[in-house]
Amino acid sequence: MGELELIAGIERLLRRRSDRVMRSLGEDAAVVRARPVAVTSLDTVVERVHFERATHSPRDIGHKALATSLSDLAAMGADPGEAYIGLGIPEDVSEDDALEIMSGAEALAEGADTTIAGGDVVGSPTLFVTATVVGWAESEEALVTRDGAQPGDLVGVSGELGGAGAGLLLLRGLEAELPERDHEALLARHRRPAPRLRLGRGLAGAGAAAMIDLSDGIASDAAHLADRSGVGLEIDADLLPIASGVAAAAAAAQRNPLELAAASGDDYELLFTIEPERREAAARAGRDAGVQITFIGRVIEGECLSLVSRGRPLAIRGYTHLEPA
Ligand SMILES: [Mg+2]
């Protein structure tokens, strides 16, 4: 595979989506007209750690790498801006497949108002994709951080949970009695997570006090938010919005569906806290973004995360990342 040829191919498939990007591909570095506050995040996905070539198409891999980074911008309530993609390509990955990885990222970038403005391609013993994203805001106050939760706030979550975890079990060969539609939706949920950019901005505008994206599952991520805010979170696991098909997949895997919803990763929904008076504003942000909002608990004094089902603590087995088989 010719590296220069591949880079030329990548440049042909990328589009500039903003006047802010003054210079990008073909230069030594991208030149971007800045807004007052830059919001930057980097994520890397690695073969056999975050995906398998047997179960993820090249497009899935490119999508996933960029989606996980963009989800961090969503969790801050930032406007998306530019992305910079690093590809580590082993010898047995063809140039076409490398281009397909970039096509997957570019397709997501298009829907997310993001310009892929640069990157790097290197030979590597393991396939990996790194995505650095830069988002923008007019001021620090326009963003939502993890440390703003106050006792008395409500805890809300977007969308549905457990789908990516159930999808992973199915990808690994779990046989479950599922309608075809649910089966496909769960696989897609794992392979092509949707960063909640529009919702994140809407929740920031609605006055969310603290926010985090669910990359590892509520059991881990809500604890991060509680730690950073110096508060406790009391979550009623029976209120968790569980994706269709998760119950059947959990039954086939002899797991508790609540555990799958709370402790499996990769759903990339948003968890936030907000003052009770702003509850309707948060619900409206959800409607505007076409994503359901569910209130699942409240912020309390103290520093703990309590996940309760029918008045009893929920037993959690720890979050699931894709591990080498
Ligand atoms: Mg995150």
Side-chain angles (χ1 to χ4, degrees), residues 71-163:
S71 178
D72 286 326
L73 296 186
M76 306 294 295
D79 294 329
E82 294 72 46
Y84 304 88
I85 308 276
L87 290 182
I89 304 290
E91 275 176 10
D92 65 344
V93 170
S94 70
E95 188 174 318
D96 280 352
D97 281 350
L99 287 171
E100 280 290 294
I101 291 173
M102 287 306 299
S103 296
E106 173 68 0
L108 175 62
E110 184 178 9
D113 210 11
T114 295
T115 297
I116 299 176
D120 193 19
V121 178
V122 295
S124 163
T126 304
L127 178 59
F128 72 85
V129 186
T130 286
T132 301
V133 291
V134 179
W136 301 99
E138 289 311 306
S139 67
E140 185 185 357
E141 295 69 43
L143 299 169
V144 188
T145 51
R146 293 179 177 181
D147 61 2
Q150 297 286 340
D153 285 354
L154 301 175
V155 179
V157 71
S158 68
E160 295 177 329
L161 304 175

Side-chain angles (χ1 to χ4, degrees), residues 16-229:
R16 197 186 292 190
R17 304 205 159 77
S18 152
D19 302 341
R20 221 174 26 249
V21 180
M22 298 153 74
R23 297 289 168 123
S24 58
L25 309 172
E27 292 290 344
D28 286 305
V31 181
V32 178
R33 193 173 287 110
R35 286 172 56 188
V37 177
V39 184
T40 306
S41 181
L42 180 153
D43 262 290
T44 302
V45 295
V46 179
E47 184 177 8
R48 288 189 298 274
V49 179
H50 304 96
F51 64 86
E52 303 272 1
R53 267 189 265 171
T55 50
H56 294 68
S57 72
R59 277 180 168 255
D60 293 335
I61 296 165
H63 177 107
K64 195 174 177 102
L66 183 56
T68 55
S69 296
L70 287 174
S71 178
D72 286 326
L73 296 186
M76 306 294 295
D79 294 329
E82 294 72 46
Y84 304 88
I85 308 276
L87 290 182
I89 304 290
E91 275 176 10
D92 65 344
V93 170
S94 70
E95 188 174 318
D96 280 352
D97 281 350
L99 287 171
E100 280 290 294
I101 291 173
M102 287 306 299
S103 296
E106 173 68 0
L108 175 62
E110 184 178 9
D113 210 11
T114 295
T115 297
I116 299 176
D120 193 19
V121 178
V122 295
S124 163
T126 304
L127 178 59
F128 72 85
V129 186
T130 286
T132 301
V133 291
V134 179
W136 301 99
E138 289 311 306
S139 67
E140 185 185 357
E141 295 69 43
L143 299 169
V144 188
T145 51
R146 293 179 177 181
D147 61 2
Q150 297 286 340
D153 285 354
L154 301 175
V155 179
V157 71
S158 68
E160 295 177 329
L161 304 175
L168 176 57
L169 294 174
L170 295 170
L171 282 177
R172 286 175 163 175
L174 176 72
E175 308 254 354
E177 293 281 330
L178 276 175
E180 188 58 24
R181 202 163 47 121
D182 281 351
H183 190 100
E184 288 306 313
L186 294 174
L187 294 184
R189 198 65 219 232
H190 181 79
R191 288 175 169 143
R192 303 265 179 117
R196 300 294 192 197
L197 286 158
R198 187 163 175 210
L199 178 67
R201 280 175 289 172
L203 289 171
M211 190 149 61
I212 189 169
D213 66 320
L214 297 176
S215 51
D216 293 335
I218 276 195
S220 311
D221 294 317
H224 294 317
L225 189 146
D227 277 353
R228 290 278 298 150
S229 290

